[in-house]
Amino acid sequence: MKEGQPKAIYLKDYKVPPFLIEETHLHVDIHEDVTTVTTTLKVVRNPEAEAQDTVNLVLDGSKDLDTQSVAIDGRVLTSNEYQIDAAELSIFEAPDAFELTTSVQIKPQDNTALEGLYKSGDMFCTQCEAEGFRNITWYLDRPDVMSRYTTTVVADKESYPVLLSNGNDIDRGEDGGRHWVTWQDPFMKPAYLFALVAGDLQHIEDEFVTMSGRKVTLRIFTEAHNIDKVDYAMVSLKNAMKWDEAVYGREYDLDIFMIVAVESFNMGAMENKGLNVFNTSCVLARPDTTTDAAYQRVESVVAHEYFHNWSGNRVTCRDWFQLSLKEGFTVLRDQQFSSDMGSPTVCRVNDVAVLRSAQFAEDAGPMAHPIRPDAFIEINNFYTATVYEKGAEVVGMIRTLLGAEQFRAGSDLYFDRHDGQAVTTEDFVKAMEDANGVDLSQFRVWYRQAGTPVLDVTGDYDKSAKTFTLNVAQSCPATPGQEDKDVYHLPLKIGLLDHAGNDIRFPVMDLDVANIDDTAGFSAVLNVSEKEQKYVFRGIESAPTPSLLRGFSAPVKLDYSYSRDDLTFLMSHDSDGFNRWEAGQRLAVDVIQEMVGQIEAGATPSVDERLVNAFDVNLTQAVDGDRDPALDKAMIAHMLVLPAESYLTQLSGVANIDAIHQARSLVRNTIAKKLGGLLLSVYKLNQKKVAYEANAEQIAERSLKNVALAYLMQPDDTEMVQLCVDQFTTANNMTDTSAALRSLVGSAADAAQAPKEKALADFYNRWVNEALVVDQWFAIQASCPLPGTLDHVKALMSHEAFDIKVPNRMRAVIGQFAAANMMNFHAADGGGYAFLADQVIELNAINPQMAARILAPLTRWKKFDAGRQVKMKDELQRILDVDGISPDVYEIVTKSL
């Protein structure tokens, strides 16, 4: 490694902090040109630290801290008693216990990285996870240093009438045109949970009475023009608080809970103790500006951040290698909550779709890592689908193996045992073991091993013995740094269907079964813990059709030789809703992959009639008043959506982007032409003029209607274009408006061109002052699959409303094009690759975290043909050669190359 290049940090090198901070007092004096932060720390030597580590106190900071003074117990230190370099303040020969006071000046208004204290519009706010606090003051900025915080915020009263921080408001006052508020958090917390907001804000207020009878004030703050969009977030918050008490027994612990909506924010939201800071996209909702999917995201993210109060705040991470301890567990909790609030099957389908598209690709790429990584250069690069979504699946597997009641016992013990502590994933698993008297030793492989396991399953029926045997073999592909893989312990949930499509009830059997689940047809959860295992089901009267991996009981790839007739049978009869959807996805994948092979061989591709017939059955169900109760409209809508090009690419050895797009488009066109009458009937039956509500019934109807509309817009049909225009102009909600606009923008029909341009202009002019709606306007255009989109995207970046420094806007244009526009991004001339590299290089100097996050599509070069591989690697090398490359970008590029 060249001198000066970023170096990796390793889990194996962890040491306890040499000093502890018992109390933290912050005085933050905000001015427009400079902010002065005076910090007083009550520091004690850690008795558990090794003696050689505790001679000097070394605090974390950054080059942006202009240090004014350093004092111990009131005495200002001389220059030979301490040393400052770009990122560390060293206090020489520190006493055993002392009070350290530092004064620094910072310029939040110049902080374009949005880490630490920065300015979003006219508001000052913070983002301290993972290591942003060190940009505010000198500190032991690591999650295992927990302290009690008292924070005084001072600012101009007219410009910043609202001053917020963690905990409870204990004092306030005025001094001329300036005012101050002091906040005190009685709970120990690490620096990453610190928050501060100063702005001209309005709020709505409500109250929640906890299960013990305590009254909690709830406030959601936003700028004045958004105050009419936070009611749904308040409803979601109260639902989450009630749910967490009922399901996990967790009660809120402060007198007040606050949320602040911020327009410039790198992440979705942040669970700072008592003062959550949210990206506006995750908290604002109003029918005419917000889609159904965005409403659901608000509900989910509000719950997720609230649930962190226990799974993340009261019990936090010892170090950042344990990030999935809080995130994986909390994602599982928000998934359970969303499932209980809506359709469990639809929620599961959505969760798995995200896992497969994002996390499976991650596991197959150069950044593959376990949910508990063993090394990193920049921790911001590990806020990944692996840590979050796969982490949730791993915790969910523990729940599946143990059962719901046993899992609750384990979580109760975990919270009780470790309240107020910074702990590890090992502590979590140990609590599950101790609460239930089980051994999860082999299960721990999931925490330390990367990659997506593959289950190769075969089935054999013995008519004379009346037995059905499942043979299960597991494997896992090699990943960077892990060539040889250990055997996993995982739950395989299965059912068996007879020839009539009924679940077969399992007789008493000699099997390694974790538990029996009789809630949705009869299922068994098999313990899979060996490289090869055999399960014999006895008393089976006729050859069954197995329903495997019900509910997606483990994050694996399943290889079973289902015939296309088997898959259509499961689509119609499986009592497990997820597996019904999965059978349809498998059928579509099989057909499209066959067509890709035909295209590559120079033959004319043809669509298997069984796939069209399966869609016919689903559409008929949608118009049938006496339909299968297992198929509600939301599920039918999901079953009508073909696998995405990104997922089809992932399933390919070497992906032929052009053939995949051609085959998938031909399937869509075939369905649209052959089933046009049914699609139109479905559309009209669900085109209802009613007042908007974000309830399950209406969301399902809109979803089904807009899926039908997207198919109807496939052929060059003037009448359907007019139908789409009518929806755009008359819709009373953003779900229908944006769906119609997306269909118009994506249409190559001659009849759609003039209406498309008018619709885009009308949409922008109407919503020019609504930032999140303008983000949709950008995203719809950037993801358009038609030729020439790259040139259009470049033009959009010169638009008056585009600002690369605003993360939401950057993601709407650059992120959407690179991640959601497979055909144009992967154009054979490499133009898409060069475009993305240009943006990464520019962002690297502005916001390194965002630069690293949009880089992912370039890292998956091994998936593509030799010509594209060369072009993608050339762009990665061009990024690497840039002077001043950030650790964030450096880590991803070097691992990719």
Side-chain angles (χ1 to χ4, degrees), residues 370-614:
I371 65 169
R372 186 193 61 208
D374 52 17
F376 61 76
I377 292 175
E378 173 52 66
I379 183 55
N380 285 332
N381 289 335
F382 287 82
Y383 284 76
T384 60
T386 296
V387 165
Y388 280 67
E389 278 73 29
K390 186 175 181 178
E393 295 296 322
V394 169
V395 179
M397 283 191 290
I398 295 177
R399 187 174 183 271
T400 300
L401 288 167
L402 297 180
E405 291 184 10
Q406 292 78 5
F407 181 79
R408 167 66 190 271
S411 68
D412 284 348
L413 178 60
Y414 169 70
F415 289 129
D416 293 344
R417 179 184 281 178
H418 298 296
D419 190 8
Q421 297 178 11
V423 300
T424 67
T425 56
E426 173 60 26
D427 294 310
F428 180 84
V429 177
K430 190 71 167 62
M432 292 292 163
E433 289 179 322
D434 292 349
N436 294 287
V438 297
D439 181 359
L440 295 173
S441 298
Q442 186 181 352
F443 188 84
R444 287 170 170 83
V445 170
W446 285 99
Y447 284 91
R448 58 178 170 79
Q449 193 161 276
T452 304
V454 177
L455 293 186
D456 189 355
V457 182
T458 60
D460 297 305
Y461 179 67
D462 187 327
K463 185 176 180 180
S464 60
K466 294 185 178 179
T467 60
F468 181 72
T469 302
L470 276 182
N471 302 289
V472 181
Q474 63 165 290
S475 61
C476 186
T479 53
Q482 292 184 342
E483 292 295 320
D484 299 318
K485 300 292 186 177
D486 291 331
V487 175
Y488 291 94
H489 176 198
L490 60 91
L492 175 59
K493 187 174 182 180
I494 66 128
L496 300 177
L497 278 66
D498 64 20
H499 67 278
N502 300 312
D503 280 312
I504 297 174
R505 193 167 184 84
F506 300 141
V508 176
M509 51 195 172
D510 183 18
L511 292 174
D512 185 5
V513 179
N515 59 68
I516 299 293
D517 175 12
D518 200 13
T519 58
F522 199 84
S523 302
V525 178
L526 307 179
N527 269 309
V528 178
S529 57
E530 299 174 18
K531 193 171 184 63
E532 296 183 0
Q533 278 173 276
K534 181 180 293 186
Y535 302 88
V536 180
F537 300 82
R538 306 186 188 282
I540 307 299
E541 296 296 329
S542 60
T545 301
S547 171
L548 302 173
L549 204 65
R550 282 186 159 180
F552 201 70
S553 59
V556 301
K557 294 181 179 179
L558 175 67
D559 186 2
Y560 184 87
S561 295
Y562 284 115
S563 69
R564 292 182 185 177
D565 289 337
D566 289 337
L567 293 171
T568 55
F569 177 79
L570 289 170
M571 284 179 72
S572 298
H573 299 290
D574 202 327
S575 62
D576 184 87
F578 174 85
N579 270 13
R580 273 195 169 189
W581 171 81
E582 174 69 353
Q585 293 291 290
R586 282 177 171 271
L587 178 61
V589 165
D590 195 41
V591 170
I592 293 172
Q593 286 181 334
E594 180 184 64
M595 294 169 65
V596 168
Q598 292 168 344
I599 293 167
E600 291 176 335
T604 301
S606 59
V607 180
D608 190 325
E609 280 298 316
R610 283 171 290 190
L611 179 59
V612 179
N613 291 339

Side-chain angles (χ1 to χ4, degrees), residues 203-270:
H203 73 272
I204 65 169
E205 182 170 318
D206 207 330
E207 182 180 84
F208 182 82
V209 179
T210 70
M211 58 186 179
S212 66
R214 291 179 52 253
K215 292 183 179 180
V216 179
T217 299
L218 309 176
R219 289 179 185 153
I220 301 180
F221 293 83
T222 187
E223 292 168 301
H225 63 279
N226 285 325
I227 196 63
D228 61 343
K229 305 183 190 77
V230 293
D231 293 332
Y232 188 74
M234 182 66 80
V235 171
S236 300
L237 174 60
K238 295 180 74 173
N239 286 341
M241 296 176 81
K242 183 177 180 180
W243 183 91
D244 209 21
E245 290 183 345
V247 178
Y248 280 90
R250 300 297 110 192
E251 183 175 350
Y252 187 64
D253 46 18
L254 290 170
D255 297 331
I256 188 169
F257 185 89
M258 298 174 286
I259 292 174
V260 180
V262 174
E263 288 194 349
S264 290
F265 200 71
N266 284 344
M267 299 185 179
M270 181 60 211

Side-chain angles (χ1 to χ4, degrees), residues 619-687:
L619 286 166
T620 301
Q621 289 277 343
V623 298
D624 189 349
D626 189 31
R627 66 174 168 270
D628 184 342
L631 279 182
D632 62 17
K633 290 183 177 182
M635 266 308 298
I636 294 173
H638 277 79
M639 293 182 75
L640 292 173
V641 176
L642 292 171
E645 289 180 9
S646 57
Y647 182 56
L648 292 164
T649 297
Q650 201 185 114
L651 295 177
S652 307
V654 174
N656 186 331
I657 288 289
D658 303 294
I660 289 172
H661 179 75
Q662 181 183 343
R664 187 177 183 275
S665 297
L666 179 57
V667 172
R668 285 182 58 81
N669 273 301
T670 301
I671 291 168
K673 289 177 179 177
K674 292 192 174 183
L675 304 178
L678 271 173
L679 286 162
L680 187 58
S681 295
V682 167
Y683 179 86
K684 290 180 176 179
L685 281 171
N686 292 280
Q687 174 71 317

Side-chain angles (χ1 to χ4, degrees), residues 155-227:
D156 180 79
K157 186 176 182 180
E158 182 177 355
S159 299
Y160 308 101
V162 175
L163 306 176
L164 307 174
S165 192
N166 310 87
N168 299 313
D169 173 353
I170 62 169
D171 201 6
R172 61 178 57 230
E174 297 183 26
D175 184 8
R178 297 178 66 74
H179 70 137
W180 54 269
V181 180
T182 298
W183 295 83
Q184 188 174 72
D185 186 351
F187 293 95
M188 301 285 281
K189 68 170 179 282
Y192 83 85
L193 290 172
F194 171 78
L196 179 155
V197 173
D200 185 2
L201 306 173
Q202 294 186 11
H203 73 272
I204 65 169
E205 182 170 318
D206 207 330
E207 182 180 84
F208 182 82
V209 179
T210 70
M211 58 186 179
S212 66
R214 291 179 52 253
K215 292 183 179 180
V216 179
T217 299
L218 309 176
R219 289 179 185 153
I220 301 180
F221 293 83
T222 187
E223 292 168 301
H225 63 279
N226 285 325
I227 196 63

